[in-house]
């Protein structure tokens, strides 16, 4: 009797769980999984958006390896990821430590100021930075010129274009990394520092032996998310390089967009999308494996 | 009934009202799409079974749209009892851009050519005379003027004001390159449009001349630099001359009413005939339109003299409108009209959009490299091979 009641209760709970799950599951399937599946089928075809489709198998995937623009985009994206993720995380930690310092006052105000760019639209921020970087009217060149350092084509010079976009991206995301680190810092028990101080540990020793190791899960999260987001960089490149396909700022998602919406080569663009997916998946899996191994 | 509109955002609602006032038995809704994303959004609407009944086409896209099957032939309507006299339009444009296998797929709403805009204040400051509205200067005279207009305003060793721009950017569009090439005697494609000719001595001469503007005469910024300066470069008195279409005059009047600018005919290369391009907007009926006869009525109104007399960003598509003494067009529109007699549209082939991307990329590579001059023939050969490879694909 009791067993039957438990079983009925379990069935009721399972039914309730399914009832709650069914709506998000349907939405997720229709708007996430299905488009992913369709994109895979599109990647096996030549499709120009106007209805003319030809099945070509994995030809796009093979062609991509011989495509110099794709290799350039891959290299540029790797450069972007390598430049923005570590620097952004290091600066986020630095700002978090500075704001958590007992001597700093009006912490909430500073937190808001640093977090403001994170909640601002990337397009709006990139437009403002476009002005800052303008070679003749821009703020940055006014400063460098007044210091006798000359004027630079920040976004026009192929050597400076991508680093300039990276600086803007780092600036925009510092607030996000900082807030996550602040949450991590607040979770470190004060007693650990007190014990270390009693044992005669210096502030640097406390930082390297208590703070950093205890922030490792936070850092891991920021690295994983940072790499995933940086591999998908697009908005700022589109706005700041004015939609032109340049070697110096050609990144993967921008190249995908260009192939899809400028050249109307939907199959090829979908194949690029799948390569991006595989790369991000591989990086993320590697990071999880590495973290687990340690 | 829906009408996909891809040009002139500022007054499309007023146009919608005007169109609907004409017809009691139907309602037209204009769907506005920004110019830059018009083509993919339009084609996506066909892929998603949400195609409009009527649609705009624009410079360089007519043949693309015809090949993609987005238009339906208009011959039956043109020749029918409620038809139109095509002789009131620029028949060359209709024949070269809007006709395939004897079928007409769209009709011109507005026409465009290129002309030389110049900043009168900067000309005065440099002690230069204003340019003639009828007699064109040569490309070398254009370069000499550009040198005189180029200045380092704050004496910090860098140029703050340029005489001209090389094109391939949002200040001066890539159309310019095709026209310059033609002006130097170059032919972009074979007559059947299946082979590119950008490795010819004439194209090499045109690109070498462009390269010399930046690195020898030092009167133009690199395309990247000009791109970053943006569209406000000219109205901000930092650019002496600019080659663009009639829409630029319209935009300058809206955004910089105090700017004193003049317009002159497009420069030419001695020893070669004068050249220009003819493009513009056109209207066609969608291949999926459910009521093509009603769509024809609306199309007829859209290309009617009455509608074309409204302020538009180009020259009216109707000859009778341009010849109407009461017609008030854009500033200097007669100069753009006079350029029509030198205009060609033979480089607006079916795959013009994709080819433009390759041309922009290659143009940027050549013109951004100060040491590229001896390698220009090789770089143009590579560009040509790339375009030919594209033309060989379906």
């Amino acid at each position: 009797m009791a067993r039957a009641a438990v079983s009925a209760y379990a069935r009721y709970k399972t039914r309730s769980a399914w009832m709650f799950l069914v709506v998000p599951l349907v939405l997720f399937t229709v708007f996430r999984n299905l488009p992913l599946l369709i994109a895979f089928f599109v990647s096996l075809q030549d499709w120009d958006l106007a209805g003319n489709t030809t099945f070509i198998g994995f030809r796009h995937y093979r062609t991509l390896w011989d495509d110099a623009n794709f290799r350039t985009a891959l290299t540029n994206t790797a450069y972007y990821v390598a430049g923005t993720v570590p620097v952004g995380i290091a600066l986020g930690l630095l700002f978090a430590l500075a704001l958590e310092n007992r001597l700093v006052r009006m912490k909430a105000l500073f937190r808001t100021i640093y977090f403001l760019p994170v909640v601002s639209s990337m397009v709006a921020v990139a437009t403002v930075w476009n002005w800052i970087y303008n070679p003749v009217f821009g703020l940055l060149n006014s400063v460098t010129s007044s210091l006798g350092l000359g004027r630079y084509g920040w976004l026009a010079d192929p050597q400076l274009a991508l680093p300039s976009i990276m600086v803007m991206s780092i600036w925009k995301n510092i607030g996000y990394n900082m807030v996550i680190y602040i949450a991590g810092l607040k979770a470190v028990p004060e007693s650990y520092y007190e014990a270390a101080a009693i044992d005669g540990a210096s502030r640097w020793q406390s930082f390297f032996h208590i703070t950093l190791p205890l922030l490792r899960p936070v850092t891991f999260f920021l690295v994983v998310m940072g790499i995933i987001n940086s591999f998908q960089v697009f908005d700022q490149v589109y706005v700041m390089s004015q939609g032109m396909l340049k070697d110096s700022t050609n990144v993967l998602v921008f190249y995908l967009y260009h192939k899809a919406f400028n050249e109307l080569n939907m199959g090829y663009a979908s194949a690029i999308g799948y390569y991006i997916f595989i790369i991000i998946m591989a990086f993320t899996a590697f990071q999880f494996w590495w973290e687990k191994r340690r | 009934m829906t009408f996909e509109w891809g040009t002139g955002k500022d007054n499309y609602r007023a146009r919608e009202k005007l169109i609907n006032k004409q017809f009691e038995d139907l309602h037209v809704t204009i769907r506005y799409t920004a110019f830059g994303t018009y083509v993919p959004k339009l084609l996506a609407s066909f892929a998603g079974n949400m195609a409009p009944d009527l649609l705009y086409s624009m410079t360089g896209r007519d043949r693309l749209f015809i090949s993609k099957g987005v238009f339906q032939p208009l011959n039956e309507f043109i020749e029918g009892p409620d038809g139109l006299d095509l002789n009131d339009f620029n028949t060359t444009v209709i024949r070269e851009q809007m006709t395939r296998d004897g079928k007409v797929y769209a009709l011109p709403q507005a026409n465009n050519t290129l002309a030389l805009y110049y900043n009168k204040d900067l000309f005065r400051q440099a002690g230069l005379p204003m340019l003639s509205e009828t007699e064109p200067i040569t490309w070398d005279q254009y370069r000499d003027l550009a040198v005189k207009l180029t200045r380092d305003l704050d004496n910090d060793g860098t140029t703050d004001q340029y005489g001209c721009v090389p094109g391939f950017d949002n200040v001066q569009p890539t159309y310019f390159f095709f026209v310059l090439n033609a002006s130097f005697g170059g032919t972009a494609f074979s007559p059947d449009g299946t082979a590119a000719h950008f490795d010819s001595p004439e194209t090499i001469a045109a690109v070498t001349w462009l390269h010399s503007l930046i690195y020898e005469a030092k009167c133009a910024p690199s395309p990247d630099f000009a791109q970053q300066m943006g569209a406000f470069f000219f109205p901000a008195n930092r650019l002496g001359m600019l080659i663009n279409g009639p829409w630029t005059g319209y935009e300058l009047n809206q955004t910089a009413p105090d700017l004193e600018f003049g317009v002159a005919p497009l420069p030419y290369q001695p020893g070669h005939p004068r050249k220009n391009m003819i493009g513009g907007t056109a209207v066609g009926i969608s291949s999926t339109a459910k009521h093509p006869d009603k769509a024809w009525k609306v199309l007829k109104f859209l290309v009617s003299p009455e509608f074309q007399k409204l302020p538009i960003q180009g020259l009216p598509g109707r000859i009778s409108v341009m010849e109407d003494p009461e017609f008030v067009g854009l500033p200097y529109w007669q100069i753009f009209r006079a350029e029509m007699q030198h205009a060609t549209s033979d480089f607006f082939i079916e795959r013009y959009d994709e080819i433009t991307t390759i041309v922009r990329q290659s143009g940027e590579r050549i013109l951004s490299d100060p040491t590229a001059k001896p390698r220009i023939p090789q770089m143009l050969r590579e560009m040509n091979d790339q375009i030919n490879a594209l033309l060989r694909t379906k």
Side-chain angles (χ1 to χ4, degrees):
Chain A
M1 182 73 183
R3 194 171 163 178
V6 168
S7 162
Y9 180 67
R11 274 202 303 278
Y12 163 76
K13 280 193 81 173
T14 311
R15 227 176 14 247
S16 307
W18 274 110
M19 277 172 65
F20 280 109
L21 279 172
V22 75
V23 174
L25 208 62
V26 167
L27 290 176
F28 194 78
T29 308
V30 171
F31 293 107
R32 288 280 185 178
N33 296 343
L34 211 58
L36 266 175
L37 206 64
I38 292 168
F40 180 68
F41 282 111
V42 171
S43 75
L44 305 178
Q45 297 177 36
D46 248 346
W47 182 41
D48 60 5
L49 256 185
N52 308 320
T53 52
T54 321
F55 183 80
I56 54 158
F58 286 90
R59 196 195 301 163
H60 285 317
Y61 290 90
R62 286 194 297 272
T63 313
L64 266 169
W65 287 115
D66 296 325
D67 180 346
N69 283 328
F70 177 71
R71 286 199 298 272
T72 305
L74 193 60
T75 312
N76 285 345
T77 310
Y79 177 51
Y80 180 89
V81 173
T84 52
V85 176
V87 176
I89 288 175
L91 287 174
L93 177 61
L94 199 73
F95 278 62
L97 289 168
L99 281 187
E100 280 306 285
N101 193 307
R102 287 194 190 89
L103 300 175
V104 174
R105 304 178 75 173
M106 295 191 290
K107 288 178 181 173
L109 177 71
F110 283 115
R111 261 203 306 268
T112 310
I113 290 171
Y114 291 131
F115 199 70
L116 212 55
V118 180
V119 293
S120 304
S121 144
M122 179 57 94
V123 173
V125 170
T127 306
V128 170
W129 277 77
N130 238 348
W131 277 95
I132 293 173
Y133 283 143
N134 191 286
V136 172
F137 311 101
L139 178 71
L140 195 57
N141 267 353
S142 299
V143 174
T144 55
S145 180
S146 63
L147 294 173
L149 299 171
R151 290 172 180 270
Y152 301 90
W154 298 103
L155 296 170
D157 183 338
Q159 305 291 323
L160 293 174
L162 195 56
S164 300
I165 294 175
M166 285 158 67
V167 167
M168 188 279 288
S169 304
I170 291 169
W171 172 84
K172 188 177 184 307
N173 283 325
I174 281 177
Y176 176 77
N177 295 343
M178 180 197 76
V179 164
I180 302 289
Y181 267 128
I182 286 175
L185 286 171
K186 286 194 186 298
V188 178
E190 197 59 33
S191 56
Y192 289 11
Y193 294 111
E194 288 165 4
I198 291 166
D199 289 342
S202 68
R203 291 176 76 92
W204 280 112
Q205 283 170 323
S206 292
F207 175 72
F208 282 109
H209 297 287
I210 299 172
T211 314
L212 266 189
L214 289 175
L215 284 178
R216 214 173 82 186
V218 175
T219 308
F220 174 69
F221 168 77
L222 289 176
V223 170
V224 170
M225 295 310 291
I227 288 178
I228 291 172
N229 290 331
S230 298
F231 261 109
Q232 297 176 65
V233 57
F234 173 74
D235 308 21
Q236 55 268 59
V237 174
Y238 184 81
V239 174
M240 296 174 86
S241 62
Q242 306 286 320
M244 286 177 81
L245 184 63
K246 294 172 184 166
D247 283 349
S248 55
T249 54
N250 181 19
V251 289
L252 284 172
V253 180
F254 184 76
Y255 190 51
L256 182 157
Y257 173 85
H258 168 75
K259 281 286 171 189
F261 298 108
N262 291 340
E263 293 190 5
L264 305 173
N265 196 339
M266 292 294 153
Y268 202 81
S270 301
I272 297 172
Y274 262 88
Y275 268 125
I276 297 172
F277 173 69
I278 292 164
I279 292 167
I280 292 175
M281 187 89 152
F283 260 97
T284 312
F286 173 77
Q287 287 169 86
F288 272 94
W289 171 79
W290 181 261
E291 182 65 14
K292 215 171 169 183
R293 202 173 136 256
R294 294 184 67 184
Chain B
M1 185 169 294
T2 48
F3 175 28
E4 197 80 30
W5 177 288
T7 179
K9 189 189 178 185
D10 48 350
N11 51 20
Y12 78 97
R13 285 286 171 226
R15 300 285 160 92
E16 188 180 76
K17 269 186 197 161
L18 183 70
I19 295 166
N20 282 314
K21 249 172 85 179
Q22 299 297 314
F23 306 100
E24 286 176 356
D25 55 336
L26 54 92
H27 180 81
V28 178
T29 305
I30 294 182
R31 297 196 314 215
Y32 174 78
T33 304
F35 181 82
T37 52
Y38 183 75
V39 176
K41 278 189 84 171
L42 180 78
L43 295 179
S45 73
F46 275 86
N49 293 324
M50 291 172 71
D53 298 288
L54 280 153
L55 56 111
Y56 252 125
S57 173
M58 57 273 276
T59 308
R61 270 75 180 256
D62 305 318
R63 292 187 189 183
L64 171 78
F65 287 164
I66 293 170
S67 74
K68 299 283 181 200
V70 304
F71 288 133
Q72 60 174 275
L74 302 174
N75 299 53
E76 189 192 323
F77 301 110
I78 294 168
E79 290 152 15
D82 190 25
L84 268 178
D85 177 14
L86 293 191
N87 289 317
D88 196 24
F89 296 88
N90 186 319
T91 46
T92 313
V93 174
I94 296 179
R95 191 180 61 249
E96 288 185 357
Q97 294 184 42
M98 296 157 198
T99 307
R100 189 175 187 171
D101 301 330
K103 291 175 183 160
V104 178
Y105 287 89
L107 292 174
Q109 215 270 326
N111 290 321
N112 293 319
T113 56
L114 298 179
L116 171 61
Y117 287 84
Y118 64 98
N119 184 314
K120 287 188 172 176
D121 273 342
L122 297 188
F123 263 61
R124 271 188 218 105
Q125 284 166 25
L128 297 169
M130 299 302 136
L131 299 178
S132 162
E133 291 185 7
T134 51
E135 293 305 313
I137 56 172
T138 66
W139 286 116
D140 282 344
Q141 287 171 325
Y142 170 81
R143 180 171 56 189
D144 294 343
L145 288 173
V147 169
K148 287 173 185 155
L149 289 161
T150 301
R151 293 175 71 185
D152 171 9
L153 298 170
D154 53 7
N155 296 317
D156 69 346
T158 52
T159 305
D160 305 300
Q161 177 185 305
Y162 286 95
C164 61
V165 279
F168 306 104
D169 49 56
N170 64 358
V171 183
Q172 190 166 285
T174 313
Y175 307 133
F176 166 70
F177 166 74
F178 289 90
V179 175
L180 184 80
N181 181 38
S183 180
F184 272 68
T187 312
F189 305 104
S190 59
D192 62 357
T194 56
H197 293 159
F198 292 110
D199 52 352
S200 69
E202 291 82 9
T203 310
I204 294 168
V207 175
T208 306
W209 180 81
L210 270 182
H211 192 267
S212 77
L213 291 180
I214 306 166
Y215 301 106
E216 288 167 24
K218 296 185 192 300
C219 59
S222 73
D224 270 339
F225 201 83
Q227 174 76 16
Q228 208 200 327
M229 300 281 277
F232 48 85
F233 198 7
F234 185 74
N237 293 322
R238 293 301 175 96
L239 177 63
M241 294 180 290
L242 170 68
I243 290 166
N244 221 324
W247 57 85
T248 300
Y250 177 86
E251 284 161 8
L252 287 172
N253 278 352
Q254 305 285 314
T255 57
D258 297 333
L259 180 77
E260 218 189 323
F261 67 89
V263 178
L266 199 69
Y268 73 103
Q269 182 71 348
H272 294 283
R274 286 171 66 184
K275 289 285 181 185
N276 209 309
M277 59 150 237
I278 185 154
T281 53
V283 200
I285 301 176
S286 157
S287 55
T288 58
K290 288 187 187 78
H291 306 287
D293 355 343
K294 286 184 179 174
W296 169 251
K297 281 184 184 168
V298 181
L299 188 151
K300 234 183 111 178
F301 175 66
L302 291 168
V303 298
S304 67
E306 185 189 351
F307 197 82
Q308 295 199 350
K309 277 181 189 168
L310 298 169
I312 49 172
Q313 295 185 24
L315 310 173
R318 291 256 191 180
I319 295 165
S320 58
V321 176
M322 284 196 282
E323 286 175 351
D324 184 345
E326 285 178 17
F327 171 65
V328 183
L330 295 166
Y332 303 104
W333 71 273
Q334 291 289 11
I335 297 172
F336 290 96
R337 188 192 175 186
E339 286 292 314
M340 275 187 186
Q341 58 185 305
H342 310 292
T344 174
S345 64
D346 55 7
F347 44 76
F348 291 133
I349 64 171
E350 190 180 313
R351 306 191 76 169
Y352 175 76
D353 261 15
E354 293 164 82
I355 290 164
T356 303
T357 306
I358 298 173
V359 168
R360 280 174 78 160
Q361 263 185 290
S362 305
E364 273 190 8
R365 277 189 197 126
I366 296 169
L367 300 182
S368 300
D369 181 355
T371 65
K373 192 178 172 183
R375 288 178 285 113
I376 289 174
Q378 171 63 23
M379 291 169 100
L380 284 175
R381 215 166 14 253
E382 285 165 12
M383 175 178 107
N384 206 58
D385 290 346
Q386 221 180 328
I387 295 171
N388 279 330
L390 178 82
L391 291 173
R392 278 194 294 274
T393 60
K394 75 165 181 61

